Short mmCIF file of all heavy atoms in Angstrom, two decimals:
data_model
loop_
_atom_site.label_atom_id
_atom_site.label_comp_id
_atom_site.label_asym_id
_atom_site.label_seq_id
_atom_site.Cartn_x
_atom_site.Cartn_y
_atom_site.Cartn_z
N VAL A 47 -7.74 -134.28 60.75
CA VAL A 47 -7.17 -135.08 59.61
C VAL A 47 -6.14 -136.05 60.18
O VAL A 47 -5.26 -135.58 60.97
CB VAL A 47 -6.49 -134.10 58.62
CG1 VAL A 47 -5.95 -134.95 57.47
CG2 VAL A 47 -7.50 -133.12 58.04
N ASP A 51 1.03 -142.25 55.82
CA ASP A 51 2.05 -142.36 54.89
C ASP A 51 3.25 -142.94 55.48
O ASP A 51 3.64 -142.66 56.61
CB ASP A 51 2.33 -140.98 54.23
CG ASP A 51 3.11 -141.06 52.96
OD1 ASP A 51 4.24 -141.56 52.89
OD2 ASP A 51 2.53 -140.61 51.92
N ARG A 57 4.71 -137.08 55.85
CA ARG A 57 3.82 -136.76 57.05
C ARG A 57 4.16 -135.39 57.67
O ARG A 57 3.25 -134.59 57.92
CB ARG A 57 3.93 -137.90 58.13
CG ARG A 57 3.42 -139.25 57.65
CD ARG A 57 3.32 -140.21 58.79
NE ARG A 57 4.51 -140.43 59.62
CZ ARG A 57 5.48 -141.30 59.34
NH1 ARG A 57 5.46 -142.04 58.25
NH2 ARG A 57 6.56 -141.35 60.17
N ASP A 98 -1.94 -142.99 51.87
CA ASP A 98 -1.09 -143.35 50.77
C ASP A 98 -1.42 -144.74 50.28
O ASP A 98 -1.83 -145.63 51.05
CB ASP A 98 0.39 -143.29 51.26
CG ASP A 98 1.41 -143.41 50.12
OD1 ASP A 98 1.03 -143.38 48.94
OD2 ASP A 98 2.61 -143.58 50.49
N GLU A 104 3.09 -152.36 51.85
CA GLU A 104 1.75 -152.76 52.34
C GLU A 104 0.67 -152.07 51.51
O GLU A 104 0.86 -150.80 51.20
CB GLU A 104 1.69 -152.35 53.82
CG GLU A 104 0.39 -152.74 54.51
CD GLU A 104 0.39 -152.34 55.96
OE1 GLU A 104 1.36 -151.79 56.47
OE2 GLU A 104 -0.65 -152.52 56.58
N GLY A 154 -8.23 -127.92 49.04
CA GLY A 154 -9.63 -127.82 48.63
C GLY A 154 -10.36 -129.18 48.72
O GLY A 154 -11.53 -129.21 49.13
N ALA A 155 -9.66 -130.21 48.31
CA ALA A 155 -10.33 -131.55 48.40
C ALA A 155 -10.60 -131.91 49.81
O ALA A 155 -11.66 -132.48 50.10
CB ALA A 155 -9.43 -132.54 47.75
N ALA A 161 -16.69 -131.08 54.46
CA ALA A 161 -18.07 -130.48 54.34
C ALA A 161 -19.18 -131.48 54.09
O ALA A 161 -20.31 -131.21 54.35
CB ALA A 161 -18.08 -129.36 53.29
N LYS A 170 -19.02 -140.91 65.82
CA LYS A 170 -18.72 -139.63 66.44
C LYS A 170 -19.89 -138.66 66.31
O LYS A 170 -20.48 -138.17 67.25
CB LYS A 170 -17.48 -139.05 65.90
CG LYS A 170 -17.10 -137.79 66.65
CD LYS A 170 -15.77 -137.24 66.10
CE LYS A 170 -15.35 -135.90 66.78
NZ LYS A 170 -14.21 -135.39 66.20
N ALA A 184 -10.96 -137.19 40.92
CA ALA A 184 -10.31 -136.28 39.93
C ALA A 184 -9.12 -136.94 39.34
O ALA A 184 -8.16 -137.30 40.07
CB ALA A 184 -9.89 -134.99 40.67
N PRO A 185 -9.13 -137.19 38.02
CA PRO A 185 -7.92 -137.82 37.48
C PRO A 185 -6.74 -136.91 37.38
O PRO A 185 -6.99 -135.64 37.29
CB PRO A 185 -8.38 -138.19 35.99
CG PRO A 185 -9.49 -137.27 35.75
CD PRO A 185 -10.16 -136.94 37.08
#
Side-chain angles (χ1 to χ4, degrees):
V47 181
D51 196 295
R57 293 191 310 271
D98 190 11
E104 186 180 355
K170 184 176 178 187

